[in-house]
Amino acid sequence: MAALNEEQSILKDQAIAWINDNGPVAAFRAMRDSGNPLGFEQATWSAMADMGWPGILVPEEFGGSNLGYLTFGLILEELGKQLTASPLLASGLVGAAALILGGNAAQKKACLPRIADGSRIVTLAVDESTRHDPAGIALAAHKTANGFALSGDKCFVVEGGAATDFVVAARTAGNAGDANGITLFLVDGAADGISRTLLRTADSRGYAHLKFANLEVSHAAVLGDVDNGGALLDAILDRARAGVAAEMLGTASQAFAMTLEYLKTRKQFGQVIGAFQALGHRAAELYTEMELARSAVEGALAAIDADAADVPAMCSLSKCKAGAFLFRMSNQLIQIHGGIGMTDEFDAGFYLKRARALETMYGNQGFHRARFATLMGF
Amino acid sequence: MAALNEEQSILKDQAIAWINDNGPVAAFRAMRDSGNPLGFEQATWSAMADMGWPGILVPEEFGGSNLGYLTFGLILEELGKQLTASPLLASGLVGAAALILGGNAAQKKACLPRIADGSRIVTLAVDESTRHDPAGIALAAHKTANGFALSGDKCFVVEGGAATDFVVAARTAGNAGDANGITLFLVDGAADGISRTLLRTADSRGYAHLKFANLEVSHAAVLGDVDNGGALLDAILDRARAGVAAEMLGTASQAFAMTLEYLKTRKQFGQVIGAFQALGHRAAELYTEMELARSAVEGALAAIDADAADVPAMCSLSKCKAGAFLFRMSNQLIQIHGGIGMTDEFDAGFYLKRARALETMYGNQGFHRARFATLMGF
Amino acid sequence: MSEANAKLEQFRGEARAWLAANFPRSLVGKAAVYMTYDLDVPMEGDALAWRTALGEKGWGTPTWPTEYGGGGLSQMEARVLQEEMHAIGAFNPIPILAGMGVTMVGPTVLEYGTEDQKQRHLPPIARGEVRWCLGYSEPNAGSDLASLATKAVDKGDYWEINGQKIWTSGADISQWCGALVRTDVNVGKRDGISFLMFPMDQPGVRTRPIKLIAGASPFCETFFDNARADKKDLLGKLNDGWSVGKRLLQHERQSQTGGAPMGGGGGSLQELAKKYVGLDSAGKLRDEDLRLRLAQHLMDAKTHSLTLARVAAESRGNAKVTAAASILKNSATHVAQARAELTLEIMGGNGLGWEGESFNDEEINAVRAWLSGKAMSIYGGSFEIQNNIISKNILGLPETTQKG
Amino acid sequence: MSEANAKLEQFRGEARAWLAANFPRSLVGKAAVYMTYDLDVPMEGDALAWRTALGEKGWGTPTWPTEYGGGGLSQMEARVLQEEMHAIGAFNPIPILAGMGVTMVGPTVLEYGTEDQKQRHLPPIARGEVRWCLGYSEPNAGSDLASLATKAVDKGDYWEINGQKIWTSGADISQWCGALVRTDVNVGKRDGISFLMFPMDQPGVRTRPIKLIAGASPFCETFFDNARADKKDLLGKLNDGWSVGKRLLQHERQSQTGGAPMGGGGGSLQELAKKYVGLDSAGKLRDEDLRLRLAQHLMDAKTHSLTLARVAAESRGNAKVTAAASILKNSATHVAQARAELTLEIMGGNGLGWEGESFNDEEINAVRAWLSGKAMSIYGGSFEIQNNIISKNILGLPETTQKG
């Protein structure tokens, strides 16, 4: 992993210790078994807020610690290992990024401190069908006397059940597919014009479909520029992708650790199964893929922190690489554990389900492979 | 392999025996070392003609045996195993197919008996750039008082050095990229308007570039219909692809046999290397891929014989499957043999080079994967 | 040839007439209700009548000998019977009702059983009255079945069985069990194993259903605490259970190579893709990367089907199974698992549906089937075991890394 | 910090001055002529003068101690020197001229050699006057180096060497050889091996160049028939050659992880693709399948570069090499071989060019480099050996399948 500075090391150790005590995969299981519709426990979220995690990206003047994306990634990776459920990614990273990148002074002042202290959960509502397609945004925002009226649907909004506010990508001009004509709005989740449907998904995370029925918002709700929100949306999404990639890396590396442990202890045919060369080499290849994925993820987070020119390409790269490794690793977690891996009593299924869900989030490998080609100019 | 009838079994046994004596890979090596610019020995070709191989597809009334593509594939497979060099594929399959599918009575009568007895070598000239692109045909055939005048280039014409006649795909209407406006011509290779450049390629096969400088041909040279030759060209190409796939299967299965033999005899760390499970499993996976590739190849040849509706899809499928297996197998042939595999003294390099050449011939895996999608309607 | 054909056509007429007389029209379209492995559907009314008629005729197990309750038909006649049933929407629920009885236990009893065993066990299976489960795997004997530890001790009148089995499919609803048990602890791992048959309804047997990652499952853990098997219910020779068990597994493996589409995606994958993803103006799938991977998968699937057909053609009139058959298990698994993954990818976010109104049945079934399908590379000879078998038995490479 | 910087800048001034005074301007742009491993380019005129000046200054081996002919520079100073040379188009031919002398033999002699060995062997290497080859592999000892059979017998005054080496790069043009030989046949495979140094120009040594699949090569077979090594040219302890040899191989492996672009494709692969394949009206590569595979490869290559950078960052101020370093060899190989394959695919038919006017140099070089590059997964620790190392040394899995 990246050479950490002292602050990062302390934060990482703190995260590991806290997650061990408070958010291990057993806690995720208990949450799932309870049927909790939000997909996380309020106490968990409060504890994270107390530790300052939702404020890691938030500038100090707004109550955050401004430690950057690489640092945020360390926490997401640790949470990914134990599948610890919370809206940290959705609000602390994606929501915060939207405000930091697109908010005006008033919006930042009103919103960022409350993101940082966890009292508001701000999430991004972007997709409108079963597939990630930011170019295809069609949710209409018509101009009215006092501002805009929003009508249309948003699907699979991450932590959409718990969100207090939504960053909504809407169309103020042109047609679905046009690059221009997109505007972002920051809207209050409690408004009358929004109805939510909570989803029951295989990975037990808190997604929701939203329906906007002529929701009226003022000009003050606009985040960034009217009609020119496409670039802002891309920038937010890229940060979201790198964040998801960090979580994926954590989930996959834990699956690797569980598999390695099993290879060293499970006996078949009179020896531990890791002594079978076919499995030993498979483990070596998975390890290789893990180390490569780590470089991609840390590279993307560092590129964001450095405001590098290749942030879009690096973020697509990280999502692809983490995705490919997590796919293979979550499948091998089951395969190498054999029958026990198929039982709900064992945790492997959680990792497999989560892997599939993270793969679809903010664009799958195919989406990012094609995007990478486009970004490279061919 | 497919359940063979008696005629096929006899022919196959004859082929194996003859190739063992007359066309083993050592003969290919000798031919290469001699610098023979045609890429095959005339004596080899004469012997094949004596055995009737160039006439396997030719109807009996024109001096052939009309045994069909599956039978032809058996021979090509055996030749592929030993890399036996000859224009059998180019003329006996592709040239014959062009005449059988597109020739009128006069053309068939004039040409097919001489293809069958090996005295004429008729090959297809289709591509005009470094890539297989039948839709992009631009070689111009302008209408003249007595027929047409052909001007333009053809590249990588298989056995183009030895050919006595060419089936030339030319454009009589429209522009490169148009589906319509393609006409096929059967032209005498000795004509003044054609100049040839023989190529020196890694696989030591007899390719040539052709240049047509206002070559005048009469209406009698048209094969099939004027302007509507696209479908005929596709049909010829599909047969060519299935034939190449059969050759690829042979080349790859010989590479498999060489590798398996080495796994059983080469010792490292005190045991034969095939005892290492990682290599044993790799061999099992290669074997699996080989059996699957065989089904695809035989399936395509049988589909042609049965004049099935899915010939195009089956031919793309067979080229893809044989290509993927040959690629992997030729690389593993080198990898598993280690240092010795890298030496020119050993034959592995021949298989690797031939694999690369066959992959490009009549469309590579990427071409056929995309074509398959189109044929399936998506 | 034409005489045989004429005889077959005569049989077709008889079958058609019998089916017309006996298959209740009320059951047309109900096949899915009765042809599921997951549920213990009660047999009542017309369904019970149909099962009874089929059982009495012996056509639930058409190729079994008539003396043991079968139909005594040839393979060709059985195929004709199936065609005729299919033509009128009839179905044969008996193989399902019998659990592992028709597909696995029956054929093995026919081969290894005593006359008494055949008389007692086969007719109830053929009538669909007795369901069988199989006790094979144990928590510490999965792929390495030879290290099983469940013991059976000779108590004079009976065998006393102690130990635990896992993955006993349908154990909680079965009346009989066939199990591999250790009858001699002093010899090598594969020796000293016997195959016993015993009723499940006895004090010494306890079952616990296993919840899987896909949800409820037919699988159980089964515990034996001084359970009993009659001395006359040893199948095959004492301490030769390994060969009996292997034979049974061959039947299982044969039933897994069809590469049948997994649930939730029975239709064409390209139609599903068109529906969820759509085509662009050039007629290409809107997701260019998915388009090419889908094409690759369809080619893989087609190639597997071609191989199944080739193996069948090569085996015809050929007692020895062709070598190509050895690849079918892994190939089928590869195709089925890839199909399940692509199905979810095509469905996008809806391919995450677990329950609730936001997802349709096809989506939820696809997710469950995707998860269930992960077992294909584990059970019935894991991916790795299959590669061992190919490497050793087909390719003749030495086996050094597996002892025992 | 700023004091160190000032000192470094002072050195930069000195280096610049010295280079200006000594590097012959006639050699600008000639680096490619003298910096090739494949040829034994004669050193004459300005080239000879430059080599001599560099050798006398010790800057051909800048970080070696001055007492053994080196420059005595720090790593930082050496980098500054390199920058300054680069700035004026100067180059250092000595590591090439010395064969394996500068990169592998020298550092190992520095570590294991006696004072006498250092005095005799290092200065001629540092002056670029003596080329070294290495005798490692044998026909029956490739990846399994420990089973080597070349013997050296103690004859009192000298060692007498008999046997055969293979893959001795540059043996036909080298003056000295360092070889692993068996000095005790009665002990385990890795024991009883010693590292001897001896001149190539003696009656008992014969070399035969090896032709490779890519054509002519620097590799030879080398035969020893009562060849002699002086007793004082045993490097390291008797029968401890395994650790000496391993140290040497570490130097080799380090030089192979850069994932440097293979010959014939030094430019950007996407530019090559645009040139050969072209873009459509939407700006996409005309071959949709190639486009996505090319994107995947560029991501793989970028990820490998990121890993190199990460390993370097993690190693900084850290004596222990990070675990991630263990993956670099296989990763570099994967990237380089995939790049070579894609290069040929992009070139289409022209990616088959072997010789003649129909193909340009870039095409022919790409084909040769593609073939040569297949060795990357074989030499310097094969793909399989690297996986063994990761599995055992990094992951701590047991080693059961390798004896000896």
Side-chain angles (χ1 to χ4, degrees), chain B residues 49-66:
Chain B
D50 289 346
M51 290 184 288
W53 293 355
I56 288 175
L57 297 181
V58 173
E60 293 176 23
E61 59 181 305
F62 300 117
S65 55
N66 197 28

Side-chain angles (χ1 to χ4, degrees), chain A residues 8-92:
Chain A
Q8 289 169 330
S9 294
I10 292 171
L11 202 64
K12 185 181 151 93
D13 291 345
Q14 177 202 38
I16 292 172
W18 181 85
I19 293 166
N20 255 352
D21 290 345
N22 300 281
V25 67
F28 174 75
R29 175 182 292 278
M31 187 279 299
R32 180 202 67 164
D33 289 347
S34 75
N36 177 332
L38 293 186
F40 68 91
E41 300 297 347
Q42 185 58 45
T44 305
W45 180 230
S46 300
M48 288 182 183
D50 289 346
M51 290 185 288
W53 294 354
I56 289 176
L57 296 181
V58 173
E60 293 176 21
E61 59 182 306
F62 301 117
S65 54
N66 195 28
L67 292 171
Y69 285 87
L70 194 57
T71 304
F72 207 119
L74 295 175
I75 305 287
L76 289 173
E77 184 184 334
E78 294 304 325
L79 294 172
K81 284 182 185 169
Q82 298 294 329
L83 311 176
T84 314
S86 82
L88 184 66
L89 171 74
S91 183

Side-chain angles (χ1 to χ4, degrees), chain C residues 133-156:
Chain C
C133 62
L134 288 174
Y136 266 65
S137 294
E138 299 182 6
N140 288 307
S143 285
D144 179 17
L145 198 53
S147 64
L148 62 85
T150 295
K151 278 197 203 87
V153 176
D154 187 344
K155 291 287 183 177

